[in-house]
C-alpha cells in the first residue's frame, strides 16, 4: 500500500491556473524530490497537500484513508487539523517563534496537542516530561544538543533551519515535506542542512523535498518529479530524470542550470 497518493490535484488563483491535474504516489520510507522552475507549481502543491491551501479538485490519501476530497464540502477545521498531523512541513524561511528558546519552539505544538488527551490532567507531569525527552532526542539527532536554551536570534541560519526540522519531527508525522529548505542559506550552511536531510533518509523517514539542489536531489532521492506549468512533465529515478531526461522541458531546465 502506498503511504501517500495524490490524485488529479487542480488549483487556481482567480483566472491563473497553477496546478492542472497533478498525480503521484509514494511508498513508506521513500524520498521524493520535486524539481522545476519558479512558477511551476511546486510550492502550491505542497501547500495543498498540507492543507495550507484548498485544492479546487482532487483527492489525497494517506495509508489508504482519504484525508482530502475536493468534492466533500463538509470538511471541518477539526478534521483538517487531524489530517495535518500526518504531515510535517519545513519552510524555507524557518518561521520560528522568536520569544521561545530552541527547546520551547520544538515542544510547543506537542504540548498544546497533549492537552486534548483524556489522561492529560491525571498524567500531566509524565506526559510533558516525555515530550521534553523526545524533543531533546530529536535536537541531538540534528546536532543541537548544546543549543536548547538559545533563542532564534542567537542561532545561525543553518541552526535555525535545523530547529525547524526538529519541530516538524516532534509531531511524529508520517511524511516530512521540505519547501526549498536551503534557499535562504549561503553555500556553507546549505551543506549543513543537506547533511541533516541525508541522515533522515538513512533513518527511512518518508520525505518530499522541493529543491533546486540538483546534485543533492540526485544523491538522496529514490524518485524525482519534474514539474512544469502546473503538471508533472517527467517522473522517474534520478538517473532517468537528471541523467537521461526524455521531456524537452526537462532537458531545457537542466541545461539552464548547467550553463
Amino acid at each position: 500500500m502506498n503511504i501517500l497518493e495524490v490524485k488529479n490535484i487542480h488549483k487556481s488563483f482567480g483566472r491563473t491556473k497553477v496546478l492542472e491535474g497533478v498525480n503521484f504516489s509514494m511508498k513508506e520510507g521513500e524520498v521524493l524530490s520535486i524539481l522545476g522552475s519558479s512558477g511551476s507549481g511546486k510550492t502550491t502543491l505542497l501547500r495543498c497537500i498540507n492543507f495550507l491551501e484548498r485544492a479546487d479538485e482532487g483527492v489525497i490519501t494517506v495509508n489508504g484513508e482519504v484525508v482530502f476530497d475536493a468534492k466533500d464540502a463538509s470538511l471541518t477545521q477539526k478534521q483538517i487539523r487531524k489530517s495535518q498531523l500526518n504531515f510535517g512541513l519545513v519552510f524555507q524561511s524557518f518561521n520560528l517563534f522568536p520569544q521561545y528558546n530552541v527547546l520551547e519552539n520544538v515542544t510547543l505544538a506537542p504540548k498544546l496537542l497533549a492537552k486534548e488527551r483524556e489522561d492529560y490532567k491525571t498524567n500531566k507531569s509524565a506526559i510533558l516530561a516525555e515530550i521534553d525527552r523526545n524533543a531533546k532526542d530529536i535536537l541531538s539527532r540534528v546536532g543541537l544538543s548544546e543549543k536548547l536554551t538559545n533563542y532564534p536570534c542567537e542561532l545561525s541560519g543553518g541552526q535555525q533551519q535545523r530547529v525547524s526540522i526538529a519541530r516538524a519531527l516532534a509531531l511524529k508525522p508520517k511524511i516530512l515535506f521540505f519547501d526549498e529548505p536551503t534557499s535562504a542559506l549561503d553555500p556553507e550552511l546549505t551543506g549543513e542542512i543537506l547533511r541533516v536531510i541525508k541522515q533522515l533518509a538513512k533513518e527511512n523517514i518518508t520525505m518530499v523535498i522541493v529543491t533546486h539542489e540538483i546534485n543533492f536531489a540526485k544523491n538522496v532521492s529514490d524518485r524525482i518529479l519534474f514539474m512544469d506549468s502546473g503538471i508533472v512533465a517527467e517522473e522517474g529515478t534520478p538517473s532517468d530524470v537528471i541523467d537521461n531526461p526524455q521531456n524537452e522541458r526537462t532537458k531545457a531546465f537542466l541545461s539552464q542550470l548547467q550553463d
Side-chain angles (χ1 to χ4, degrees):
M1 179 187 297
N2 291 321
I3 190 171
L4 176 67
E5 293 186 357
V6 174
K7 302 176 183 177
N8 195 37
I9 296 294
H10 289 252
K11 178 64 180 177
S12 296
F13 295 99
R15 296 182 179 180
T16 303
K17 294 181 179 180
V18 180
L19 300 174
E20 299 193 61
V22 175
N23 297 275
F24 72 89
S25 60
M26 295 182 68
K27 301 292 186 184
E28 186 173 2
E30 190 172 25
V31 179
L32 176 73
S33 287
I34 303 178
L35 306 179
S37 59
S38 297
S40 60
K42 307 183 302 298
T43 293
T44 299
L45 175 62
L46 259 59
R47 290 180 65 83
C48 285
I49 296 172
N50 283 271
F51 296 91
L52 298 178
E53 301 283 356
R54 182 184 173 94
D56 302 323
E57 297 180 42
V59 177
I60 300 169
T61 304
V62 176
N63 283 335
E65 178 183 351
V66 174
V67 298
F68 174 79
D69 185 343
K71 295 179 180 178
D72 183 1
S74 64
L75 201 62
T76 66
Q77 285 301 312
K78 184 176 181 180
Q79 290 171 317
I80 289 173
R81 194 152 59 93
K82 180 181 177 182
S83 294
Q84 282 179 315
L85 294 176
N86 290 298
F87 310 125
L89 179 58
V90 178
F91 299 91
Q92 52 185 283
S93 54
F94 317 144
N95 288 358
L96 300 178
F97 295 106
Q99 70 272 35
Y100 297 128
N101 65 31
V102 166
L103 184 61
E104 290 167 340
N105 262 281
V106 175
T107 59
L108 179 61
K111 287 181 177 180
L112 288 174
L113 284 171
K115 293 180 179 180
E116 299 179 7
R117 290 176 49 166
E118 293 182 0
D119 63 340
Y120 181 73
K121 289 185 178 180
T122 55
N123 295 314
K124 179 179 177 180
S125 295
I127 291 170
L128 296 181
E130 175 59 28
I131 289 172
D132 281 340
R133 279 195 297 271
N134 181 59
K136 289 176 182 178
D137 175 65
I138 294 170
L139 286 163
S140 175
R141 286 160 58 192
V142 300
L144 291 174
S145 291
E146 298 180 358
K147 299 291 184 179
L148 300 184
T149 59
N150 288 82
Y151 288 83
C153 63
E154 300 173 316
L155 305 176
S156 70
Q159 289 170 335
Q160 290 185 58
Q161 189 61 294
R162 282 188 277 157
V163 177
S164 297
I165 293 171
R167 181 177 59 182
L169 288 170
L171 289 172
K172 302 178 181 179
K174 293 182 174 67
I175 307 163
L176 191 57
F177 292 81
F178 294 86
D179 184 13
E180 296 283 5
T182 61
S183 65
L185 305 175
D186 63 35
E188 182 178 352
L189 297 180
T190 292
E192 182 181 315
I193 297 305
L194 298 184
R195 284 192 293 275
V196 171
I197 296 175
K198 283 184 178 180
Q199 180 57 43
L200 296 178
K202 290 179 181 178
E203 297 174 17
N204 290 321
I205 292 176
T206 310
M207 292 185 284
V208 178
I209 308 167
V210 168
T211 182
H212 281 108
E213 299 285 340
I214 301 300
N215 288 332
F216 168 72
K218 182 177 179 179
N219 291 330
V220 77
S221 307
D222 297 297
R223 284 190 304 124
I224 289 178
L225 300 184
F226 173 72
M227 289 188 64
D228 183 79
S229 300
I231 66 168
V232 176
E234 190 155 1
E235 177 181 357
T237 66
S239 178
D240 291 336
V241 176
I242 295 176
D243 296 332
N244 189 33
Q246 301 300 304
N247 187 286
E248 291 302 321
R249 288 177 286 188
T250 314
K251 292 178 183 178
F253 172 78
L254 293 172
S255 177
Q256 288 176 348
L257 294 179
Q258 293 166 357
D259 288 342

